[in-house]
Amino acid sequence: MIGGARQPREDGPSPVPPSHQGCAIRSVRVHLPAQRGELRDRHEDGHHLHHLVWRLGPGVRVCSSAVLGGGIGPRAWILNAQVPGGYPRLDPDRHLAEIAGSEGLTGPGAGLMTAADVAAYTTGHDGGVTATVTTGLGVRGWAAAPDVDCLPHRPGTVNIVLTLPAALSDAALVNAVATATEAKVQALLDAGLDCSGTPTDAVCVAAPEPGPDGSEPFAGPRSTWGARIARAVHTAVLAGARPAGDLS
């Protein structure tokens, strides 16, 4: 059952007063796509879980590695859903679609999943770019590692959702994902962690569809929009990774 929505603050979520629980609050929409997600909660199989929802509206393209709606194309929404550790289901795309349906989301969308505490999301902002990150680093390691047949299952995943007001070409959308990943690794190292991420990290980049004026051709870290993406992601990931760095 879907519960109440929380309106996020610039520096992260705030507690929900008991009198406000169960009252839906709309997202603040600064540009297309929506810059912020709604923080929602639900109950599944005895677990109290959270998810973030971006209701993007028409005319938005998303480039993502999401388990649901990955690739490049028009998307009406993005969902980042928390699941219990030791996730038992073998159909995460269907599960995400069920959660989306409960939220009344229609049309094509992108869905990410994490065992991290979604209510502890962090944000970074730079020049119109917003990065929203949920950080779980229980299975962190290096991308280039020897093959291992059996690894103990522990909750993890760094999910990054980026929104920006500038249209990007197909190549620039792909480049934006690469730039966000570079900035994530830089932030993890700056947090004192000896890793490049987790095996299941995901990125979503949402930007307006190209119009008559065309689109930005570049999103590398030294391009205008790429630099903003990198700084926003670095800020958000560093804030989320610092507690893990303190414990490492």
Side-chain angles (χ1 to χ4, degrees), residues 27 29 32-34 36 38 52-63 68-69 72-79 100 103-111 163 205-207 209:
S27 300
R29 301 193 177 187
L32 282 177
R36 303 182 187 177
E38 291 178 78
L52 285 163
V53 179
W54 287 257
R55 304 175 195 271
L56 300 177
V60 177
R61 293 201 307 165
V62 171
C63 176
L68 174 67
I72 299 177
R75 301 289 185 267
W77 49 269
I78 298 173
L79 174 69
E103 284 288 356
L105 303 174
T106 60
T163 57
V205 179
E209 292 181 340

Side-chain angles (χ1 to χ4, degrees), residues 1 12 18 30 47 147 150 156 177 185 198 234 238 241 243:
M1 181 179 73
V30 181
H47 298 282
D147 285 338
C150 296
V177 172
V185 175
T198 85
H234 184 271
L238 184 60

